[in-house]
Structures are given as structure tokens and as C-alpha cells.
Amino acid sequence: MSQYPQSKFVLSADAPDQFPPDSGLEVAVAGRSNAGKSSAINLIVNRRQFARTSKTPGRTQLVNFFELRPGRRLVDLPGYGFARVPVAQREHWGRLLQTYFESRQSLSGLILVVDIRRGLTDFDRRMLAFAESVPLPVHILLTKADKLPRGRAAAALLKVRKELGDGATVQLFSATSREGADEARGVLERCLANG
Ligand SMILES: Nc1nc2c(ncn2[C@@H]2O[C@H](COP(=O)(O)OP(=O)(O)OP(=O)(O)O)[C@@H](O)[C@H]2O)c(=O)[nH]1
Ligand SMILES: [Mg+2]
């Protein structure tokens, strides 16, 4: 059963004036296109195809708001770094994300989803710097951990942890093997507990 029986999709926004009321608290999920953001949300909420996943990068092109329970939300952000998107659209997403991060009062944490086989990319580092400037607590899900042997997954975790220092927390995660779901839920709930 879902840990969030009251969870439901709220709306998809293509412009800031479509965002739902900025009250309560919410945690945003960001990351490169195709990293596994929507899959991570589905495992955390424990509902299949709650957030839509796809093999085609760039699937989530809107800011999708989900309510976990009254006044507590999870936000699926459009993936960044997908090259085959027209420049105009990429700029539109960029502005949308920037407005979201700069104006959203209820934003209380960021979950950054990173494909463990790629590690942190420059896009991710930019996102981390941005979160630090807000400031916003960041938790990284090194996802698709099922794709690596245990030893290499552990080494990847150490490497990212070293690079981050105290700047953010990081864990192994897999939407396929369900590894790390409880840990991620714990971090999410701590972010949603204050206020
Ligand atoms: N093996 C494995 N595959 C995964 C995992 N998480 C996601 N995938 C696959 O990776 C692809 C992309 O997953 P999504 O969750 O749609 O990724 P996303 O980050 O939401 O992508 P965009 O919304 O397009 O930016 C899909 O084919 C998923 O099935 C995982 O933990 N393990
Ligand atoms: Mg997605």
C-alpha cells in the first residue's frame, strides 16, 4: 500500500502563474533528463505511473505538482541537459525553473536525481550551487544503482560524498530494485516536517 494514501496529482504548469497556491511545504525533484526523476517519485509514493516515466528523454516538460497530503507537495521538474530540444523551448524551461526556485516560498528542499553511472554532471553542479545560494537543503539520489555491481556502486557513492562535503546528503537508490526507498522517504519527511 502507498505510504501516501491521500496522494494525488494536482496540476502541470507551463508558466509561473499556473503554479498552485504557494502555501504549506513542498520538495522539488530535479535532475538531468532521463536520470529517473519520475521513477523515483513513483517508488517514494509507492504508486505505479503516478508520475509518468518514459524511455524517451525529455518526457516531463512541465512542472508537475503532486499533493502527498493536504499542504504537503512533491514537484516533478522538467529534466535538464537534453540536447535535442529546440533552443526556444530549452530557454523557456530555464526561465520556468529559475522563477520557480527564486519565488517559491513553500519550497523546503531539493531532491537531486543523478544516474549513478554518470555521476555528477556540470548541470548538477550548477543546480547544487543554485540551491546553496537560496539556500535550500539538497539530498541526492544516486539512482539506477541496480545497473552497477555492489562494489562499484559503493565507490560511486563515496566519490560523490567526497565532492559534496557537508553541502548535501547522498544515498544509493534504485526504482527497479527498490533500494533506498525508505531512506529517501525519511529525508523527504524531514524536509516536509518544519513549518
Ligand atoms: N534500471 C533502472 N532503470 C531506471 C531506474 N529509474 C528509472 N529507470 C529507467 O530510466 C528511464 C527514465 O526514467 P524516468 O523516471 O522517466 O526519468 P526522468 O528523469 O523522469 O526523465 P524526464 O522526465 O524525461 O527528464 C526509464 O526507461 C526508466 O524505466 C532505476 O532505478 N533502474
Ligand atoms: Mg520525468
Side-chain angles (χ1 to χ4, degrees), residues 29-43 49 51-62 64 76-80 82 93 113 115 117 142-147 173-179:
V29 181
R32 276 185 70 91
S33 186
N34 212 42
K37 297 173 292 298
S38 300
S39 303
I41 289 175
N42 289 336
L43 178 58
Q49 290 296 74
R52 254 185 280 160
T53 63
S54 164
K55 284 191 174 36
T56 318
R59 184 71 184 77
T60 307
Q61 310 198 337
L62 301 159
N64 296 315
D76 193 6
L77 296 174
Y80 44 81
F82 182 53
W93 292 358
V113 177
D115 186 326
R117 298 165 300 175
L142 275 185
T143 195
K144 308 195 186 182
D146 58 284
K147 298 257 196 188
F173 190 88
S174 166
T176 301
S177 74
R178 307 177 80 86
E179 171 177 9

